Amino acid sequence: MLSKRMSFLHPYVPGEQPKDRDYIKLNANENPYPPSPEVTAAVNKFLSENPEKLGLYPDPDSGDLRAEIAAMINKTGGVLSRTLTSFSSGSDEHSIGAGSIECASCVPSEKDKIPFTVFPDMIYTGNGSDEVLSFIFFAFFDEDRPLIVPKFSYSFYPVYCGFYNIPFCPVPLKKDWSVDGEKMVFEANKTNSGMIFANPNAPTGIGLPRSLIRQMLLAAPKDKAFVVDEAYADFGGESCIPLLQEFKNLIIVRTFSKSLCGAGMRSGYIVASPEVVRAVTTVKNSLNHFPVDAVTQVACRAACRSAAYYVNCAKALVEEREKFTRFLQDCGWEVLPSQTNFVFAKKSGVSGQEAYRKIKEDGILVRIFSTPGIEDFLRISIGTPAQMLALQRSMEDL
Ligand SMILES: *Cc1c(COP(=O)(O)O)cnc(C)c1O
């Protein structure tokens, strides 16, 4: 009864979501902070004032949301934790949950300024960046040549290759666990192929500087899609958005799930040339006409107007990450240098399974991978200070 193509499917296994106990969840890189109060207010207002809108189809192309995403990018430079260096200190309005600060102060640093305006026709929105990625795979990668991917990266990429029957070429990481840009480009030129990687990369947490990615773009095939998944760029990485004018084959994927505290809202987007956006829209209109529901559009629009709040969340997580990294190092763990909201760490003499089980017994979930080469690493999402304290207690005697 099953179709032949079912045999190509090897589904993604997400971080576990057990229901038997109230675990502290540090296994899916979710943001521990709630969305901004403006998001909650906007959703409440929408549901109380326009309940009949739930009975109507939403705007299929999320026009207003795309405009607000473009405005947020233009205001912040596209990366949150590197903006707002001009915060005055000592005022409690900076604390998380205290509402948003006038976004006039969201000034990108000189280095992160985008040398052009991002227009709404450069934005595509979808039902989570996982869906957005799948549409990109359909629109730009063929069955006749391998897609170039890092050997260790987001494990959904090979899953989509199976789904669309696209061969892929895994390129080993460098000795320091960073993506090997030179080797990626070399392989891409060998087969005239497109490529995809996360920057900063997952599960390693290591990012490449924009200057290096520009060198890659200069040397890679110009007529093949070059996809950079910036799910974690807001936690200290550099965005490639400033390169979009120079490279029409560059496709940047973003999500509301990590830095914008919205994993439950399911919203992700593309920043790319209008031609790319049109192609992905064609795929969308051939599969699921209305990917972003009405409530999510309202919530995400409010999130875009609360950039200052999310800057504070990102900064709090970065600070906590650095503290936790020092703790792990003091306990003898090897911690890769992270630019994300998680750390990737291992300790010689302690197996991944053993560490994972001990931490789970103490009521905390972290992520391990069975892939040979990284099976002894833990990927630990950064939570609130209280959650991280509980984790430190659990890990102290490992
Ligand atoms: C979390 C994550 C995504 C998926 O985000 P959603 O928008 O929740 O689907 C995509 N890419 C990477 C690298 C991620 O870590």
Side-chain angles (χ1 to χ4, degrees):
M1 199 162 76
L2 294 177
S3 68
K4 281 203 202 79
R5 65 179 92 80
M6 277 296 285
S7 64
F8 295 116
L9 295 190
H10 305 283
Y12 178 76
V13 185
E16 60 188 319
Q17 322 257 2
K19 299 268 175 284
D20 61 314
R21 176 176 171 183
D22 230 353
Y23 288 98
I24 296 177
K25 271 191 95 260
L26 302 176
N27 67 340
N29 297 343
E30 292 146 314
N31 199 308
Y33 297 110
S36 90
E38 276 176 58
V39 171
T40 315
V43 171
N44 284 339
K45 183 164 185 279
F46 175 76
L47 292 178
S48 56
E49 291 179 9
N50 314 91
E52 76 287 352
K53 286 213 174 147
L54 283 185
L56 306 175
Y57 285 111
D59 173 1
D61 295 311
S62 319
D64 293 338
L65 172 56
R66 289 161 66 205
E68 302 242 25
I69 291 172
M72 171 181 67
I73 292 171
N74 289 323
K75 211 178 269 178
T76 61
V79 277
L80 294 185
S81 74
R82 298 162 66 91
T83 54
L84 278 192
T85 41
S86 56
F87 261 2
S88 61
S89 57
S91 154
D92 65 2
E93 66 181 350
H94 295 166
S95 66
I96 289 151
S100 105
I101 294 155
E102 238 330 284
C103 207
S105 54
C106 284
V107 186
S109 69
E110 243 357 90
K111 196 163 174 272
D112 288 317
K113 278 208 176 115
I114 303 172
F116 53 89
T117 302
V118 174
F119 290 104
D121 66 354
M122 298 169 66
I123 309 290
Y124 170 87
T125 53
N127 185 12
S129 65
D130 286 338
E131 184 199 68
V132 168
L133 284 164
S134 120
F135 290 177
I136 288 173
F137 274 59
F138 186 91
F140 299 105
F141 302 137
D142 270 307
E143 298 179 17
D144 68 347
R145 68 195 70 211
L147 170 65
I148 312 303
V149 290
K151 177 156 180 229
F152 299 114
S153 192
Y154 188 36
S155 39
F156 232 124
Y157 307 149
V159 171
Y160 285 142
C161 284
F163 190 86
Y164 292 119
N165 201 14
I166 300 161
F168 63 95
C169 166
V171 176
L173 300 181
K174 293 218 258 198
K175 272 216 174 62
D176 65 1
W177 296 92
S178 63
V179 169
D180 192 334
E182 219 169 301
K183 226 178 253 161
M184 296 274 292
V185 169
F186 176 79
E187 293 296 337
N189 281 320
K190 227 162 61 180
T191 43
N192 194 28
S193 291
M195 70 169 75
I196 185 167
F197 59 98
N199 193 56
N201 196 21
T204 60
I206 299 174
L208 297 181
R210 178 166 59 241
S211 55
L212 199 146
I213 295 178
R214 183 167 176 273
Q215 295 306 316
M216 290 170 69
L217 278 155
L218 284 170
K222 293 277 180 298
D223 61 338
K224 292 290 179 291
F226 187 112
V227 185
V228 183
D229 182 344
E230 294 192 341
Y232 300 105
D234 282 329
F235 300 105
E238 286 183 331
S239 175
C240 285
I241 292 174
L243 302 177
L244 281 171
Q245 208 168 39
E246 196 179 355
F247 301 99
K248 298 298 170 205
N249 60 329
L250 171 60
I251 304 175
I252 295 166
V253 182
R254 292 293 196 95
T255 177
F256 280 79
S257 294
K258 312 285 162 59
S259 54
L260 298 177
C261 308
M265 309 195 302
R266 309 308 304 129
S267 183
Y269 61 96
I270 292 172
V271 195
S273 74
E275 291 76 14
V276 166
V277 170
R278 275 198 294 274
V280 177
T281 304
T282 300
V283 178
K284 176 206 74 153
N285 288 338
S286 313
L287 274 162
N288 178 10
H289 217 146
F290 303 102
V292 189
D293 70 75
V295 180
T296 296
Q297 289 192 33
V298 167
C300 290
R301 285 172 59 194
C304 290
R305 294 191 295 266
S306 318
Y309 170 87
Y310 295 106
V311 167
N312 282 340
C313 294
K315 288 197 179 221
L317 290 171
V318 166
E319 208 172 287
E320 201 55 36
R321 177 188 77 207
E322 296 308 303
K323 257 202 270 179
F324 183 63
T325 298
R326 283 192 294 276
F327 161 82
L328 285 180
Q329 287 167 336
D330 289 345
C331 297
W333 288 70
E334 179 195 342
V335 190
L336 302 192
S338 170
Q339 294 186 324
T340 62
N341 66 337
F342 59 86
V343 293
F344 201 51
K346 68 172 176 178
K347 183 174 184 174
S348 78
V350 182
S351 80
Q353 274 290 344
E354 184 188 347
Y356 161 85
R357 245 181 275 127
K358 154 79 170 89
I359 294 168
K360 186 171 178 181
E361 268 164 32
D362 292 331
I364 303 166
L365 294 174
V366 298
R367 184 91 193 259
I368 44 170
F369 298 87
S370 54
T371 328
I374 55 171
E375 65 272 61
D376 284 329
F377 275 96
L378 301 182
R379 194 200 66 189
I380 303 166
S381 312
I382 302 301
T384 61
Q387 292 174 327
M388 298 317 283
L389 195 63
L391 179 61
Q392 288 189 20
R393 293 221 177 93
S394 169
M395 292 182 77
E396 251 157 17
D397 36 63
L398 256 175

